[in-house]
Amino acid sequence: MSKCLLCNSNFRREINYEKLFLFIKPTKKYTCNDCLQKFAKKKGILCLGCSKETNAKGMCSDCIRWRKIYENKMLDNRSIYQYNDVFHDLMVRYKRYGDYVLCNVLAELVDTLPEADYYVPVPSAPNHLQKRGFDTIYSIYQNLVPLTKLLVKEDTEKAQGEKNREERLLTTQTFYAIKKKNISGKIMLLDDIYTTGRTLYHAQDALLKAYPNCKINSFTISR
Ligand SMILES: [Zn+2]
Ligand SMILES: [Zn+2]
């Protein structure tokens, strides 16, 4: 028997050894089926740039704006889940209230990851790290794939999650890349939520400065 981290009920779930794209999921289960079913996977027509659910084939308005700036350096962002109330509540508990164990629930939601040579988590700012006591993105992905820390974030007054849309888009660059030897090929940026794309494009800018020949894409659990 396990205890569900979301609803506290005891549950038994069959262990699934299914081999996925790149890794075998951790066999311990943290979330009961009733809770898991409340997370909605994306379906229908998805934006070609960021996986947002859209009404027509092509790109969403965010991606059209990014394309004007980035042209052939656009991120191919994959994400799996809709940002619904259940996902929102989970993120509030995890990030705002710092409930560390919920990184296991988020990891459990990730059932596939696109292939890459390096998986680079988007880092927390040092002041947020100190306040929470853990790095939110690193913690989610730490047991799923080998992670390469290539980005550092400077202190920021407000977390992206506390900003409105306008403020997010006006955020200035706060990342810089650590120069490491022999980095080449495909880099996959990992984050939790794609909101406007601002954070991920800044992360890409910083990485391309240090590794101009790498191809950079991104993965987020929700969009
Ligand atoms: Zn549950
Ligand atoms: Zn898009």
Side-chain angles (χ1 to χ4, degrees):
M1 280 294 217
S2 311
K3 207 174 206 28
C4 175
L5 291 178
L6 292 180
C7 68
N8 282 324
S9 66
N10 290 312
F11 71 98
R12 197 187 293 280
R13 222 153 64 103
E14 277 184 29
I15 291 171
N16 189 353
Y17 288 102
E18 188 187 0
K19 177 99 174 70
L20 297 157
F21 275 16
L22 284 159
F23 53 86
I24 294 169
K25 288 198 64 157
T27 48
K28 188 166 171 11
K29 299 293 178 192
Y30 297 91
T31 323
C32 76
N33 274 332
D34 288 346
C35 284
L36 278 181
Q37 278 165 14
K38 292 176 188 158
F39 293 93
K41 284 209 172 177
K42 290 175 177 296
K43 52 184 188 303
I45 305 170
L46 304 184
C47 168
L48 296 172
C50 69
S51 304
K52 183 185 176 138
E53 287 182 333
T54 51
N55 298 323
K57 274 187 186 168
M59 285 190 183
C60 71
S61 55
D62 282 324
C63 286
I64 288 168
R65 199 185 49 243
W66 293 126
R67 190 168 56 185
K68 284 183 191 146
I69 304 167
Y70 288 94
E71 297 173 350
N72 61 345
K73 293 259 189 250
M74 276 192 75
L75 289 168
D76 173 7
N77 181 77
R78 307 279 183 85
S79 66
I80 317 176
Y81 293 90
Q82 295 168 11
Y83 190 77
N84 62 9
D85 290 347
V86 181
F87 199 91
H88 172 81
D89 293 346
L90 170 61
M91 295 316 290
V92 169
R93 283 175 63 185
Y94 183 53
K95 289 173 97 167
R96 196 178 305 162
Y97 299 111
D99 194 348
Y100 173 79
V101 292
L102 296 178
C103 68
N104 296 302
V105 174
L106 286 153
E108 206 168 338
L109 292 174
V110 179
D111 52 11
T112 55
L113 275 174
E115 215 183 303
D117 299 304
Y118 300 94
Y119 291 92
V120 177
V122 171
S124 305
N127 55 344
H128 297 140
L129 194 64
Q130 206 179 17
K131 209 164 79 181
R132 270 196 208 105
F134 62 95
D135 186 316
T136 53
I137 306 304
Y138 188 93
S139 304
I140 296 170
Y141 294 98
Q142 61 188 343
N143 295 321
L144 298 181
V145 277
L147 299 175
T148 309
K149 287 188 175 182
L150 291 181
L151 286 170
V152 177
K153 191 172 167 65
E154 291 162 3
D155 276 340
T156 48
E157 278 178 29
K158 259 189 184 181
Q160 282 295 91
E162 295 163 14
K163 294 177 184 172
N164 65 33
R165 211 187 140 73
E166 282 304 297
E167 288 175 314
R168 280 169 175 276
L169 286 169
L170 291 171
T171 308
T172 51
Q173 175 64 288
T174 51
F175 295 112
Y176 60 91
I178 307 163
K179 282 238 183 193
K180 288 190 184 173
K181 280 181 186 164
N182 302 325
I183 299 281
S184 64
K186 281 195 258 177
I187 294 177
M188 185 65 55
L189 281 166
L190 301 174
D191 206 351
D192 49 3
I193 307 160
Y194 183 118
T195 309
T196 61
R198 182 63 280 175
T199 299
L200 288 164
Y201 276 99
H202 271 155
Q204 173 179 247
D205 290 343
L207 285 174
L208 283 178
K209 252 189 197 172
Y211 308 104
N213 297 321
C214 283
K215 173 72 189 131
I216 298 158
N217 286 315
S218 59
F219 175 86
T220 63
I221 303 172
S222 178
R223 160 67 166 120

